[in-house]
Amino acid sequence: MSKTTIAIIAGVSALTGAAATAALFSTRERKVSTAPSTPIPGVPTSTTPPAPTSQSPLSSQPISRPVDPSGLFQYGFPGPISDLNPTPSTTSAFDRRTRNPLWVAEHITPASLSMSGGDRRHSYFVEDTSIPAKFRARLQDYQRSGYDRGHQVPAADAKWAQEAMDSTFLLSNMCPQVGDGFNRDYWAHLEDFCRRLTHDFPSVRIVTGPLYLPRRDSDGKFRVSYEVIGNPPNVAVPTHFYKVIFAEDGKTGGNVSLAAFVLPNKPIANNKPLTDFLVPMEAVEKASGLEFASKLPEQRRMKLCEQIKCSILVREYADRQKNLQGRAPERTRLPAPES
């Protein structure tokens, strides 16, 4: 990793202004990965351990070795295991170390948001029993913690069926989030912005997850520091959250409008422009260790915030409950070509 890359990632949380954060993130252009990807047969519940090789990666010739480090696998694969988990409304990968999701993916359409088969009053927060007990987040971990159980995929995006809405209340879809000023305010406005994109795009895919970014301490050195809640403490409190948006034009092989946002897990003033949190997708990938669009050719990529106006619509909580979709974002009007 280059010094420039380290500075981009490390500097983001050392700054107090969101605009400065976005400025740091925007110093590098994205390069498309050409590494081949192996399809996963079916939908596994965990990662598969790598097969031991008989050839050293340091030598082009097979060697005779008196030891077998991969023999450890006879007792089990240590990991990491991401607990890939599909539900009716989400697909996610879980981080057993932080007891938070690594990422949660969703898909919304005009049709899915127009349906009303689910009622939030019948949904309850529950532990995800598909994750081993010693690694999962528990309901009591959030009690008196001072943090909300913050949805990564919001319940309002899954109201097309009760089972779909219920699945968004699994704790594997939650992270500790600051309540007032963030989860119940600016973060909710960002979720609303994503829903309103379906007025302009027939298909919208969103990936959401936590980040744990460094900050500069008083001695000038960068360190990663975050709170841990629970008794015993075991659920990490993210320093930031990201949303990566894929707005599809609905055509086979058509264009996909992309945007990535990174927000600090703290109160944000509602008058803060959403574009202050706009960052290159590559910056989120480097900070998270994930890849989001390695198979999407460059010629199909569009910049979402050049196609529509990326801005939040500030509404009070009660009003949001009455109208979950709101008004569509304004589409940017480009000047007509000169004749």
Side-chain angles (χ1 to χ4, degrees):
M1 184 178 290
S2 68
K3 291 183 179 179
T4 301
T5 300
I6 293 174
I8 291 172
I9 296 176
V12 59
S13 58
L15 303 177
T16 56
T21 297
L24 275 178
F25 270 134
S26 64
T27 60
R28 293 286 298 272
E29 293 184 356
R30 175 180 172 84
K31 295 181 180 179
V32 180
S33 170
T34 57
S37 176
T38 304
I40 301 175
V43 182
T45 57
S46 63
T47 57
T48 303
T53 67
S54 59
Q55 187 169 319
S56 168
L58 303 178
S59 171
S60 59
Q61 300 296 327
I63 62 173
S64 176
R65 55 189 184 183
V67 296
D68 179 20
S70 297
L72 175 69
F73 296 156
Q74 67 182 301
Y75 307 118
F77 178 62
I81 296 173
S82 61
D83 297 296
L84 186 63
N85 184 26
T87 74
S89 55
T90 70
T91 296
S92 64
F94 191 75
D95 186 346
R96 293 181 173 189
R97 183 177 61 89
T98 63
R99 274 72 172 178
N100 286 323
L102 289 162
W103 54 265
V104 189
E106 61 171 313
H107 181 212
I108 56 177
T109 68
S112 72
L113 294 179
S114 68
M115 301 170 69
S116 56
D119 187 336
R120 186 175 183 135
R121 292 173 298 178
H122 302 315
S123 296
Y124 304 93
F125 292 99
V126 293
E127 297 174 12
D128 191 339
T129 57
S130 71
I131 297 168
K134 62 182 178 181
F135 297 123
R136 74 176 71 131
R138 298 184 179 277
L139 291 170
Q140 59 262 35
D141 289 331
Y142 284 85
Q143 291 178 358
R144 293 182 294 278
S145 69
Y147 292 97
D148 285 1
R149 292 166 290 198
H151 285 73
Q152 301 303 281
V153 170
D157 291 3
K159 59 190 182 72
W160 48 270
Q162 189 62 49
E163 184 181 2
M165 181 169 285
D166 289 348
S167 65
T168 68
F169 282 82
L170 290 169
L171 289 191
S172 57
N173 183 47
M174 305 292 158
C175 290
Q177 287 186 328
V178 170
D180 290 336
F182 186 68
N183 180 46
R184 305 169 208 167
D185 294 284
Y186 205 97
W187 184 253
H189 304 326
L190 175 57
E191 293 171 338
D192 175 72
F193 165 77
C194 293
R195 284 190 290 273
R196 289 185 287 115
L197 289 173
T198 59
H199 289 269
D200 284 308
F201 300 92
S203 174
V204 178
R205 302 181 189 276
I206 308 156
V207 186
T208 306
L211 293 173
Y212 309 87
L213 299 181
R215 58 173 296 173
R216 189 193 296 270
D217 284 344
S218 57
D219 61 3
K221 297 181 179 180
F222 288 96
R223 294 180 175 89
V224 176
S225 177
Y226 51 83
E227 186 179 348
V228 183
I229 63 173
N231 187 18
N234 62 161
V235 179
V237 179
T239 64
H240 294 72
F241 290 92
Y242 68 83
K243 277 190 182 290
V244 176
I245 301 172
F246 303 75
E248 302 168 338
D249 67 6
K251 302 175 184 177
T252 302
N255 293 332
V256 182
S257 296
L258 303 172
F261 299 94
V262 172
L263 283 66
N265 188 13
K266 64 181 184 180
I268 300 173
N270 283 333
N271 61 359
K272 208 62 160 158
L274 179 58
T275 50
D276 278 5
F277 303 102
L278 182 68
V279 302
M281 186 184 296
E282 184 185 38
V284 181
E285 293 178 329
K286 289 178 178 178
S288 65
L290 306 172
E291 286 191 313
F292 298 103
S294 60
K295 293 185 177 181
L296 182 62
E298 194 68 33
Q299 62 269 24
R300 293 179 56 197
R301 298 171 184 236
M302 306 288 286
K303 294 183 178 180
L304 177 66
C305 295
E306 292 182 359
Q307 306 302 307
I308 59 114
K309 182 179 180 180
C310 289
S311 62
I312 62 169
L313 177 62
V314 177
R315 290 179 295 163
E316 295 301 322
Y317 180 80
D319 293 334
R320 291 200 306 269
Q321 298 303 96
K322 294 178 182 178
N323 180 9
L324 294 177
Q325 280 191 268
R327 299 195 304 270
E330 296 178 15
R331 181 173 290 277
T332 301
R333 298 192 177 277
L334 301 177
E338 296 182 1
S339 56

